Amino acid sequence: MSIKTSTAQGSGQDSPKSAAVPLSAAARLRRVRWYQEPRWRRLGALLALAVTLRLMTGEEGTTRDLFLALREDFTGPGLWVWLAIAVAVWAVREFLADQTSRAVKGTKKVSSGPLERVRQVWSADKRVRMGVLTAVLALVVFGPLGVERYWQQVLVDQIAIFVLLAIGLNVVIGWAGLLDLGFIAFFAIGAYSAAYWTGALPVQPPVALNNFLVLPIAVLTCLVAGVILGAPTLRLRGDYLAIVTLGFHEIVYLVAKNADGVTEGARGVKVERFSVDLGFFSYEWKLDPMPYYWLLVAFVVLAIFLFLRLEHSKVGRAWTAIREDEVAAAATGVPTVRYKLMAFAIGASTSGVAGVAYASKVGYFNPENFAILLSILVLAYVIFGGMGSIPGVLFGAAFLVWLPEYLREWVDPKDRYMYLGALLVIMMIYRPQGVLPSRRRKRELQMAEAGIGGADATGPAEGRQP
């Protein structure tokens, strides 16, 4: 009997008993179909992007012939040109990736190039960091003096305001991992707080205050609004939480639009500008955008300083644990609901500052200034720059606000967001962690692509069984 068993094993034939044994994890990974590999999925995404770009840059449709644009775009040579560009980009990217993997395969030591040496100097010498940060701050403060008046207005009315909003949303999404689609509601609350406490609304306050004195009140109001939103809903997760925050935005928007006796409704509100009167010194912010710009830069620097301190504190570490695995964080004793509530409230505080600054700068606003599109845009800025990274959020907000304004002379205003969407698609294909990601977020995505643990990912990891 033992001889027959050994003979069967030696002949390489599997017995019925051995055939019933389930495949191992490695065997299951090897059974992934070819079209599920990341490189072919990237090719498919690029081809879809090429078709989209052809539709964006092709003929415009007319009411007399609804299918004119489709016929012209899909029958001419333009479609093949876009497809060829997409295939060429994919081939170059895959070739470079293969060359890089072969170069580092089997080696344990990372090559020290110029970028690595710069990082070593940056991390080793504090004086270098302080010098670079001082130079950057000086450029930010004094650089706009040499640009046109139009771009100074863009810096104040759009870039600086959206940078403040993105910093606050980064706390909620980047650090705590909570998907908030109604963040602009807090922006509206801050603006209407400025209108109420300066006496611009039909409902008069107990005492009319200066715009600067309204700032802490608006921050406190947004904190309370964040607690009111978060307390009954933060036990939800993922898509359910996103839907609730979306509903919260719609409630605030519709109340501002329909409560004519309280918010002036669609007519809008006029708010006084910033001013200082200390008796021996007085100053009023007028039409020149630069004083507003410097004031907003001061707000941004203060917010960055406070949030960086918060990121490396006990609260920041709790947010990181919740984002990576909420169940594991709760099992280790982290009060998840409390810290998620803090994330909502603290993130909303910068929206209060941005709302007061925006209302005081433009002097007039109505509910249409707080549409849901702005929440989606701020979310895109955070993801594009790099969730969880303060430098990435600053770059993402500044660049994506500047880009549509730069394209205004060549692109129809109705088409600007299509190009912005195409840029985001390319970004999600090749760099889902963002332009300047945090080290922790970058490591999470690398682990997810390798199929290690339960790391967060933007899609199925390579080699993972569907």
Side-chain angles (χ1 to χ4, degrees), residues 50-260:
V51 174
T52 304
L53 290 174
R54 174 55 184 163
L55 293 174
M56 290 166 54
T57 58
E59 293 287 335
E60 293 186 3
T62 62
T63 56
R64 292 176 295 179
D65 189 353
L66 298 179
F67 298 98
L68 173 64
L70 293 178
R71 286 199 304 269
E72 295 294 330
D73 293 342
F74 286 102
T75 57
L79 176 63
W80 299 105
V81 172
W82 280 111
L83 292 175
I85 293 174
V87 173
V89 170
W90 174 81
V92 170
R93 193 267 180 192
E94 298 302 325
F95 173 78
L96 294 177
D98 291 341
Q99 293 294 323
T100 303
S101 62
R102 291 193 189 100
V104 301
K105 187 176 181 180
T107 61
K108 296 183 180 180
K109 184 177 180 181
V110 179
S111 59
S112 59
L115 184 59
E116 184 64 27
R117 289 195 293 270
V118 170
R119 289 177 179 175
Q120 292 175 359
V121 174
W122 174 268
S123 60
D125 196 341
K126 184 178 180 180
R127 293 174 298 179
V128 173
R129 296 196 298 270
M130 295 301 297
V132 172
L133 292 177
T134 302
V136 170
L137 183 59
L139 179 63
V140 170
V141 172
F142 299 106
L145 291 174
V147 301
E148 299 177 0
R149 180 68 174 266
Y150 173 80
W151 288 109
Q152 292 178 352
Q153 293 284 1
V154 171
L155 280 172
V156 177
D157 296 346
Q158 300 184 47
I159 294 179
I161 294 296
F162 277 105
V163 163
L164 266 176
L165 293 173
I167 292 173
L169 186 59
N170 182 60
V171 175
V172 181
I173 293 181
W175 291 348
L178 306 174
L179 184 55
D180 187 355
L181 296 182
F183 195 71
I184 291 299
F186 301 109
F187 182 44
I189 291 173
Y192 278 100
S193 296
Y196 172 72
W197 287 103
T198 56
L201 294 180
V203 180
Q204 294 299 310
V207 56
L209 300 177
N210 183 277
N211 300 62
F212 283 104
L213 298 178
V214 176
L215 285 171
I217 298 178
V219 169
L220 182 61
T221 304
C222 289
L223 286 172
V224 173
V227 172
I228 292 175
L229 169 64
T233 61
L234 281 182
R235 297 184 185 276
L236 302 174
R237 300 178 186 174
D239 300 339
Y240 302 99
L241 179 61
I243 293 172
V244 169
T245 56
L246 186 63
F248 175 72
H249 171 273
E250 288 302 305
I251 291 173
V252 174
Y253 170 76
L254 292 175
V255 168
K257 188 175 182 178
N258 297 324
D260 294 346

Side-chain angles (χ1 to χ4, degrees), residues 265-454:
R267 293 191 299 270
V269 184
K270 292 183 179 180
V271 180
E272 296 181 357
R273 300 182 183 274
F274 282 111
S275 63
V276 175
D277 188 2
L278 302 178
F280 61 91
F281 173 78
S282 61
Y283 181 79
E284 182 179 357
W285 277 253
K286 297 182 180 179
L287 297 179
D288 187 6
M290 290 311 299
Y292 293 98
Y293 173 73
W294 289 323
L295 181 63
L296 287 171
V297 167
F299 291 156
V300 169
V301 171
L302 179 61
I304 292 174
F305 173 77
L306 295 177
F307 284 172
L308 284 177
R309 300 282 294 180
L310 192 63
E311 181 185 10
H312 301 290
S313 66
K314 176 184 176 181
V315 176
R317 292 193 295 270
W319 286 340
T320 301
I322 293 171
R323 186 190 73 243
E324 293 183 353
D325 194 327
E326 184 176 348
V327 176
T332 56
V334 177
T336 56
V337 175
R338 180 193 306 172
Y339 281 109
K340 289 197 297 184
L341 196 60
M342 290 177 62
F344 253 89
I346 294 174
S349 63
T350 59
S351 293
V353 177
V356 174
Y358 177 77
S360 302
K361 167 60 178 67
V362 299
Y364 168 84
F365 64 89
N366 59 34
E368 299 303 324
N369 295 107
F370 312 106
I372 188 62
L373 175 62
L374 296 183
S375 292
I376 307 302
L377 288 177
V378 178
L379 176 62
Y381 301 157
V382 173
I383 295 175
F384 180 85
M387 291 189 296
S389 169
I390 293 292
V393 168
L394 296 177
F395 173 80
F399 179 76
L400 292 185
V401 173
W402 165 83
L403 185 62
E405 294 299 324
Y406 179 75
L407 297 175
R408 73 187 190 280
E409 297 181 359
W410 299 281
V411 180
D412 189 276
K414 296 180 293 185
D415 298 337
R416 292 178 190 173
Y417 290 117
M418 289 196 300
Y419 290 93
L420 180 61
L423 178 62
L424 292 174
V425 170
I426 296 174
M427 192 68 189
M428 291 301 100
I429 293 173
Y430 290 111
R431 197 171 177 82
Q433 67 269 29
V435 179
L436 299 173
S438 64
R439 288 180 294 180
R440 182 180 290 115
R441 177 67 177 171
K442 186 176 181 180
R443 184 171 63 250
E444 288 175 3
L445 287 173
Q446 290 174 347
M447 293 173 62
E449 291 179 357
I452 300 174

